[in-house]
Amino acid sequence: SFCSPLLGSIDHMITCFSLCARPGLPELAHELGSKRAWLKHRTEAEFRQALRSDSNDLPTLHRYALYLYNKKKDSVMAERVFQHCLKVKEDYVEVLIDYGVMCWLRWKMAAGDRKDVLDKHKAERMLRRAARLVRGQGPLPARAFSKLALFVDDALGQWEEALGLFKRAVECDPSNADHPHNLAVHLEESGDYESAAEHYKQAITTSPLHSPALSNYARLLHRHFRDRESALKFHQRAVRAAPYDPEICFNYAVFQEEAMHDLVPAKEYYDRAVANNIKDPSIFISAANFYLRRMKDTARCLDLYRRALRSDPQNISSLLSYARFLEVDRRDFNTATTYYQRALEVRGAGDELEAEALSEVARFMQEKCGETFKAREAVRKALEKQPTSGDTLVNCARCILHLDKNQTGAIAVFTEALSKPGLSPSQRYDIHLTAARFMTMECTDEEDTAGEHYREALKIRPKDPRGIASYAKLLASHYDDAALADKYFRQAMKLDPHNADTMLSYAKFLHDIRGQSTDAEHWLEKALRADDSSPDAMIALARFLRARADAARWEDPRREKDRARALDLYRQAASRPQDDAEVHVEFANFLTEDIPTYQEFRDGRVMTSAAMAEEQLVLAVEAAPRDPTYIVSLADYLGEHDKPPHEVETLYQQALKLDPNRASTLGSYAVFLEEHAKELSRAEEMYLRAIALDPTDGAHLYNYAQFLNEKRKDYGKADEYFERAVEADPDNPAVHKAYADLLAVKLRDSKRANPHYAKAEALLAERGDGWDEERGRCWPSA
């Protein structure tokens, strides 16, 4: 048997496939009288001796060819024997099947640059010929249709033809559990979960100890029917039937980790799967992720990654997974570059995998290396392969959006993918869902188009909780239909009662839209219980507690309790192996804004909240070293806390080197030069460069107006820039107040000043904020 990933998940769908596994015996073998006679030759010498007396003995030739391929690993000699069989009898169906399967496996297992396309053509010709020759019912016709179906699905990607062939195999031999099981797997891949479940049950009824059917049905019950209790029973039956099968143990380990949240049996069965796994790198990779994410055992994780690469050095998925580990968790960008390059050099793995490698390289080049030309070239080559994977499409679209500022071109990535002929319903669903999420999160004014994609996706899978929950968020945020959004959220949670992401989205909806804080807290706590290692759940609950503490009265005892819990949640989120720069920045903001007087004793010294905040901002820069946003945040913080100006300026220069035309970096650098370095000429130069790059950004206009007013005493020019700042951001009270002060005090123009004073007071009253004279405190970060 071999296993393959299903719909991008880390668990496995097991498809029965073996060269020698067959129901019954070949027709001509019955002439020998028994199974013992069929299997009597066990060495090459015995085969050769038997063939000396009759070189055209078809059963012996057939068995000899199988022996050469399976035992001797000599596919060249096996092919010669198969060809001799067909010269003796050209319509020998069993030989056609096994010869076709051997050619297919030889093509499939060959390294990319050694694949022989003739093997693929020979496999198709032999298998189709065998299927044309068979007649009636029985094991032989079923096997012919089943092997052709597997080939058509895997090698040709023709899922509709494969579906018909799988059904014919079941009709020909309903007593063999392999055939309904393979049909169920195919139906599950296409998104027909109801029919898949029926055929899994048919396979289990036919053979109660059929471990692949038991394991796959258990996974289907959990993943798509959300029946955790029944899934547990079938997983346990599968493990009892095949206690050391690596795929069976692996599926059970994933279930224990994700559904039961019980790491002890999960670890036991991951270890058992790894111990019995010989050649499947995906099992090593997923076990490595478990040890990294759940057990915090980096050494074991690294060992498993290396075993995956040893088992198949040309496996693109393994190379990309290890490269991401080096990039994200080890921050070893040089070695990560090497493994991304190795993934690009693999040939013959298929367009989808090669496109995935190109898209990952494009993302890495853009985000971590700043190699924009290489990123664009990788995106171009990836799209030429017409990918359909959601992750690949998003990587390509995101690069187009951020590198070329081309929103139309980014959206076209999904439109072109949907126009590809021969897409399965499952593929169409994933593309629609991915496109809708991308347009909602990354694009501007594309919510209506996103809604169309969500509706198309839900037509294909009306009971999929992922699509339902995502559409509910759009209904609440864009269409303002709170009642319908609530209905969809509840439907999604009914279908998947243990999904922490849906609970977090529903909690946010209840708090922000419905104003139901108590219910929101309930769902936030429930989400954290559902996945206690989720940084998203920790951060969401911490934000809720921060907001409640800010709104509470000083004497409320819950105020300090909420802040203490928020501190603990931020600390846990920031310590996760998957570093997220935003988590570190938010933790730093909490330390400086909510608990500025906090202190703790660590490593023999007192750590203040300011020192801890600086530590988190440094970690943010380390997590995203090529993103100038986090470098500027660290520089701003150090400047405000009177660190040596030359150290701070080095950071600003580093950010400008990464992106010399980033207006927000120039604006922050200008404020530093003005207020801390006292270099007014250079500060003015940076202000003007920032404004030239983004003339509608009110922050730069406001800060430059204040500079002209306070430092240059050029009140006329300050008047001009204050007026532009008010026009750019009319709802900022700081701008109106500062402009009013200039007009009233410096220009003696009370008539023009009074409306701005009134506007500032109205805005502050509306917000309920107190006044803060410190410049920039009321200003949103750029």
Side-chain angles (χ1 to χ4, degrees), residues 331 579-586 588 613-627 629-631 633-634:
R331 302 193 189 99
D579 256 353
D580 185 343
E582 284 296 329
V583 171
H584 294 298
V585 170
E586 186 167 335
E614 181 180 340
E615 179 182 62
Q616 291 301 316
L617 291 172
V618 170
L619 288 172
V621 172
E622 292 176 356
R626 304 295 301 182
D627 191 334
T629 304
Y630 305 112
I631 299 174
S633 295
L634 177 59

Side-chain angles (χ1 to χ4, degrees), residues 595-743:
I595 52 172
T597 60
Y598 176 78
Q599 293 182 344
E600 65 179 38
F601 194 73
R602 190 203 305 171
D603 298 330
R605 63 193 183 100
V606 175
M607 291 288 289
T608 64
S609 60
M612 292 168 64
E614 181 180 340
E615 179 182 62
Q616 291 301 316
L617 291 172
V618 170
L619 288 172
V621 172
E622 292 176 356
R626 304 295 301 182
D627 191 334
T629 304
Y630 305 112
I631 299 174
V632 171
S633 295
L634 177 59
D636 290 345
Y637 182 83
L638 295 178
E640 291 169 5
H641 288 76
D642 299 323
K643 295 293 182 179
H646 68 277
E647 293 182 11
V648 180
E649 185 164 6
T650 300
L651 290 170
Y652 283 119
Q653 294 286 357
Q654 182 182 342
L656 287 172
K657 186 177 180 180
L658 291 170
D659 188 351
N661 295 318
R662 190 168 182 269
S664 58
T665 302
L666 292 164
S668 295
Y669 189 23
V671 172
F672 165 76
L673 291 170
E674 175 194 351
E675 297 187 350
H676 301 285
K678 310 301 182 185
E679 296 187 30
L680 302 187
S681 297
R682 291 178 64 204
E684 185 165 15
E685 177 190 349
M686 295 301 158
Y687 278 130
L688 291 173
R689 282 179 60 187
I691 292 169
L693 287 166
D694 192 355
T696 61
D697 189 303
H700 310 318
L701 295 167
Y702 165 71
N703 286 335
Y704 185 47
Q706 285 281 55
F707 172 82
L708 292 168
N709 176 27
E710 297 174 358
K711 301 298 191 299
R712 296 299 194 199
K713 311 300 182 183
D714 188 342
Y715 305 130
K717 199 171 181 180
D719 187 356
E720 173 192 344
Y721 277 91
F722 267 125
E723 192 169 353
R724 289 176 61 182
V726 167
E727 184 179 349
D729 190 1
D731 295 325
N732 192 311
V735 178
H736 288 284
K737 172 69 163 53
Y739 191 21
D741 287 342
L742 173 75
L743 293 169

Side-chain angles (χ1 to χ4, degrees), residues 503-527:
M503 295 178 198
L504 293 176
S505 298
Y506 188 48
K508 180 174 174 59
F509 164 77
L510 290 171
H511 183 268
D512 296 349
I513 307 298
R514 288 289 178 88
Q516 299 172 356
S517 297
T518 303
D519 291 340
E521 183 179 12
H522 164 77
W523 286 104
L524 288 169
E525 295 282 6
K526 192 169 183 179

Side-chain angles (χ1 to χ4, degrees), residues 15-305:
T15 304
C16 284
F17 178 83
S18 174
L19 187 62
C20 294
R22 68 184 66 240
L25 298 172
E27 293 175 2
L28 293 177
H30 287 288
E31 298 175 6
L32 298 174
S34 69
K35 186 174 182 180
R36 180 177 297 176
W38 166 252
L39 297 173
K40 67 179 180 180
H41 302 304
R42 299 182 182 278
T43 67
E44 189 167 7
E46 290 176 353
F47 277 113
R48 288 182 178 276
Q49 183 177 356
L51 290 170
R52 284 193 192 102
S53 58
D54 184 1
S55 61
N56 293 331
D57 179 4
L58 285 173
T60 303
L61 284 168
H62 185 192
R63 297 198 312 276
Y64 185 34
L66 292 175
Y67 172 84
L68 289 168
Y69 180 71
N70 285 312
K71 300 294 184 182
K72 303 286 286 185
K73 309 301 180 186
D74 188 348
S75 63
V76 175
M77 190 62 189
E79 183 169 17
R80 291 178 185 173
V81 177
F82 276 131
Q83 289 172 346
H84 183 69
C85 288
L86 294 176
K87 285 180 182 178
V88 176
K89 185 177 181 181
E90 64 180 11
D91 60 350
Y92 192 170
V93 173
E94 283 287 348
V95 167
L96 288 169
I97 294 172
D98 287 334
Y99 183 22
V101 170
M102 186 195 77
C103 292
W104 170 25
L105 282 184
R106 189 166 60 187
W107 172 81
K108 182 181 178 69
M109 303 302 291
D113 57 349
R114 297 175 59 193
K115 285 186 184 294
D116 186 351
V117 71
L118 290 177
D119 279 337
K120 182 178 176 182
H121 294 322
K122 281 188 284 189
E124 183 175 8
R125 187 171 71 252
M126 297 298 166
L127 291 171
R128 289 193 184 279
R129 186 176 168 193
R132 284 195 301 269
L133 288 171
V134 292
R135 296 288 184 273
Q137 305 291 309
L140 182 59
R143 185 166 183 263
F145 291 129
S146 181
K147 296 303 182 188
L148 179 57
L150 288 165
F151 173 81
V152 165
D153 185 33
D154 180 71
L156 305 181
Q158 298 174 3
W159 72 274
E160 288 182 339
E161 182 185 1
L163 178 62
L165 291 166
F166 279 126
K167 288 180 178 178
R168 291 183 68 181
V170 174
E171 292 167 0
C172 289
D173 187 11
S175 64
N176 187 334
D178 287 352
H179 301 316
H181 170 259
N182 285 345
L183 175 57
V185 166
H186 190 72
L187 289 166
E188 184 179 352
E189 282 186 320
S190 65
D192 189 351
Y193 304 126
E194 300 286 347
S195 299
E198 290 302 316
H199 287 286
Y200 278 134
K201 287 188 282 188
Q202 180 185 347
I204 293 168
T205 302
T206 304
S207 177
L209 297 179
H210 195 284
S211 56
L214 290 165
S215 184
N216 280 340
Y217 184 47
R219 184 184 39 72
L220 182 70
L221 287 169
H222 169 230
R223 289 277 180 173
H224 300 291
F225 294 103
R226 313 300 167 183
D227 187 349
R228 191 168 62 170
E229 287 70 25
S230 298
L232 177 61
K233 293 177 183 176
F234 281 95
H235 270 305
Q236 290 172 339
R237 285 179 60 182
V239 169
R240 285 196 296 270
Y244 296 102
D245 184 286
E247 289 85 13
I248 303 299
C249 294
F250 180 74
N251 276 354
Y252 189 44
V254 171
F255 175 78
Q256 287 289 346
E257 177 192 358
E258 293 187 351
M260 307 304 290
H261 304 292
D262 192 341
L263 301 187
V264 175
K267 180 180 180 298
E268 176 189 350
Y269 281 91
Y270 273 122
D271 289 344
R272 191 180 293 188
V274 166
N276 293 280
N277 181 40
I278 299 173
K279 60 183 179 180
D280 185 2
S282 61
I283 289 180
F284 291 122
I285 292 295
S286 298
N289 289 331
F290 168 80
Y291 272 96
L292 176 68
R293 185 176 61 253
R294 302 293 192 185
M295 309 305 290
K296 308 291 189 345
D297 189 342
T298 307
R300 175 68 166 155
C301 166
L302 190 59
D303 174 64
L304 289 165
Y305 272 120

Side-chain angles (χ1 to χ4, degrees), residues 27 65 143 166 172 176 198 263 271 341 343 359 361 367 415-416 424 428 430 432 445 468 470 525 768:
E27 293 175 2
R143 185 166 183 263
F166 279 126
C172 289
N176 187 334
E198 290 302 316
L263 301 187
D271 289 344
Q341 185 62 37
S359 74
V361 167
E367 294 180 359
T415 308
E416 291 171 9
S424 69
R428 297 189 71 83
D430 284 342
H432 278 301
D445 299 327
I468 295 169
S470 297
E525 295 282 6

